[in-house]
Amino acid sequence: MASHSPRVAIIGGGMGGLTAAIALTRIAGADVTVFEQASRLGEVGAGVTIAPNAARVLDRLGVLERIRSVGAVPDGHGVYLDGMGRMVTDAAWEDSARQYRNIGMYRPDLIDGLASAVAPETIRLGHRLQTVEHTASGVRVAFENGSEDVFDAVVGADGIHSVVRGAVGQHPEPVYSGYIVYRGVMDASRLPDDWPMISQVWMHDRRHFMAYPLQQRRLFNFVAGVPSDRPLQGPWSGPAEVSELAAEFSGDGWDPRLAHFISLIDRTFWWGLFDHEPLTNWSRGAITLLGDAAHTMLPHQGQGVSQAIEDSMALATFLAAADGVSDIPEAFRRYTAVRMQRTAILQHGSRRAGAMFDAQYEFANLEKRDADIRVGRDFRRSAVFDYDAQKVAEEALNRFRRIPA
């Protein structure tokens, strides 16, 4: 960027916010401050996937090796199974060049790995955003603790309940999927010696159960989706008894191996699955959105965090090309134009994947469900995993430059 380094406030110190801080610093030369409402950086102790398209970005940012060193790369392709454990198809969790593969990450390890690449003095904890607004001198942010400051730009990486989203004129209602997930991790040493170190998904009776390794295979993550109206009657999440999880996956039609896996779990929590419809705009002036604040999606394609990582690379690429602080709004408009279609497709695709796993709607026909999952395997590799966020942004920049003013 020409002129001085832009001062950028990132609201939210989660995985998207920290990746944005790395990208904006290293690619755009921005002077970044990350504001996190919690008193310490951290995430709930469950698993998340870094998909090949996100691994490519982390590699370009110079942090992939530190992330991979605390994650778990599976032994081979994952598998989709019916309830009794019979193979439906394999899942190739790698790009076409086989350069990048899925990495199973324990969320606290991912936060620590990303935070280690951000200068500690740029992270401000205990700052819950109250207001954000344009002023004559920049974008003013004010926090509930009484502190405030003015920045050249603000990036809202503050999640599904984003405050920044209101500042760009977007007020979507959360959409409940009709499903909750039981989630948690277990000590992998409890598993049988021959337990495969890959991703496995069991699908039966409007339910699905996924498990995959984390933390250099010392932990195993599990995510179990079941229909429920619980979030409509109270909070969206809470602790749960392992016995209620076990009851959801017991009886005829379920693999005894899965029952054994569940019997080894000693703790679980439940979360309601919400998303929102694609937004009509992400940016207003020098304010923009990133990650769940921009495109909350269901977890069924494992792309929530990966799309925030892609956002970070695209945003930094456009900001780096901006001609001074006065050009930031145009950089943000270009970022929005490039990213909105990509993420909207994946938001809808995540809903569709959930319907397939749980045999809903047209996928109640299991032959059609299984055929679509097989087709989706190859589509996912070419359309999702091969996507190069930096290349796409650079190509878009070249197109924008050729458009007459």
Side-chain angles (χ1 to χ4, degrees):
M1 171 180 269
S3 186
H4 74 275
S5 297
R7 294 186 69 234
V8 179
I10 297 174
I11 309 301
M15 294 170 282
L18 291 172
T19 307
I22 297 166
L24 291 173
T25 301
R26 297 186 179 184
I27 293 177
D31 177 7
V32 169
T33 304
V34 179
F35 293 98
E36 166 57 38
Q37 66 183 13
S39 59
R40 60 182 295 273
L41 291 179
E43 283 275 347
V44 65
V48 67
T49 297
I50 300 297
N53 48 302
R56 181 177 295 107
V57 171
L58 296 178
D59 194 11
R60 303 263 176 84
L61 295 176
V63 297
L64 179 59
E65 287 311 310
R66 78 176 74 190
I67 297 302
R68 190 154 45 195
S69 70
V70 293
V73 176
D75 278 342
H77 290 184
V79 291
Y80 291 104
L81 310 167
D82 69 10
M84 287 302 297
R86 293 179 290 258
M87 172 82 81
V88 172
T89 186
D90 67 342
W93 297 104
E94 60 193 10
D95 66 352
S96 296
R98 298 184 178 178
Q99 181 178 4
Y100 300 104
R101 299 179 62 194
N102 260 25
I103 307 169
M105 295 296 305
Y106 189 45
R107 283 175 178 261
D109 292 341
L110 180 55
I111 287 288
D112 289 348
L114 294 171
S116 70
V118 178
E121 64 272 15
T122 67
I123 300 175
R124 309 284 175 81
L125 302 175
H127 281 68
R128 181 184 294 272
L129 184 67
Q130 188 171 54
T131 59
V132 54
E133 58 184 352
H134 286 99
T135 69
S137 55
V139 184
R140 175 182 172 273
V141 290
F143 299 90
E144 291 183 2
N145 62 10
S147 66
E148 60 179 68
D149 203 346
V150 176
F151 291 84
D152 296 318
V154 169
V155 177
D158 49 343
I160 187 172
H161 301 295
S162 173
V163 174
V164 181
R165 192 162 54 214
V168 300
Q170 299 291 295
H171 305 277
E173 290 295 323
V175 177
Y176 180 50
S177 66
Y179 273 70
I180 63 172
V181 289
Y182 295 93
R183 300 183 65 179
V185 297
M186 62 180 295
D187 185 340
S189 67
R190 296 184 175 188
L191 292 168
D193 291 341
D194 61 351
W195 193 269
M197 291 294 150
I198 59 173
S199 153
Q200 299 176 84
V201 182
W202 288 262
M203 305 174 294
H204 175 61
D205 191 27
R206 297 191 304 134
R207 291 158 173 77
H208 70 274
F209 192 105
M210 171 181 281
Y212 56 87
L214 311 171
Q215 206 179 64
Q216 295 299 307
R217 308 180 183 189
R218 290 189 292 271
L219 298 176
F220 237 83
N221 184 64
F222 63 88
V223 184
V226 305
S228 174
D229 62 358
R230 183 186 293 182
L232 302 178
Q233 301 169 349
W236 284 12
S237 63
E241 297 294 331
V242 176
S243 59
E244 68 182 67
L245 165 60
E248 295 283 358
F249 294 88
S250 63
D252 293 341
W254 287 108
D255 187 351
R257 291 175 62 254
L258 176 57
H260 181 60
F261 183 100
I262 295 173
S263 74
L264 302 175
I265 297 170
D266 57 13
R267 188 182 185 196
T268 189
F269 294 82
W270 70 271
W271 277 265
L273 294 185
F274 290 81
D275 64 359
H276 59 66
E277 298 295 339
L279 304 183
T280 57
N281 181 37
W282 290 8
S283 302
R284 175 175 288 178
I287 303 172
T288 196
L289 304 174
L290 180 146
D292 280 353
H295 47 70
T296 304
M297 60 185 68
L298 299 177
H300 305 306
Q301 290 191 116
Q303 280 292 313
V305 172
S306 293
Q307 288 308 296
I309 292 171
E310 283 189 6
D311 289 346
S312 300
M313 175 60 84
L315 181 62
T317 301
F318 285 110
L319 190 61
D323 185 15
V325 169
S326 63
D327 200 31
I328 289 176
E330 180 61 23
F332 284 1
R333 282 193 292 271
R334 291 174 172 181
Y335 155 74
T336 295
V338 168
R339 292 298 300 161
M340 282 183 67
Q341 183 179 23
R342 162 81 168 166
T343 57
I345 290 170
L346 288 168
Q347 282 178 290
H348 287 304
S350 295
R351 289 182 178 181
R352 187 173 187 273
M356 284 194 288
F357 295 165
D358 301 316
Q360 300 181 81
Y361 315 123
E362 72 267 32
F363 303 113
N365 179 326
L366 295 186
E367 289 186 2
K368 173 176 172 49
R369 190 273 308 272
D370 293 351
D372 276 40
I373 289 177
R374 294 186 188 102
V375 170
R377 172 191 59 188
D378 297 326
F379 173 82
R380 182 172 56 241
R381 177 184 279 162
S382 60
V384 181
F385 295 162
D386 289 350
Y387 186 92
D388 187 328
Q390 184 177 32
K391 181 180 179 181
V392 169
E394 289 172 346
E395 290 174 346
L397 271 173
N398 290 332
R399 291 195 301 273
F400 288 131
R401 286 166 177 153
R402 290 195 297 267
I403 297 174

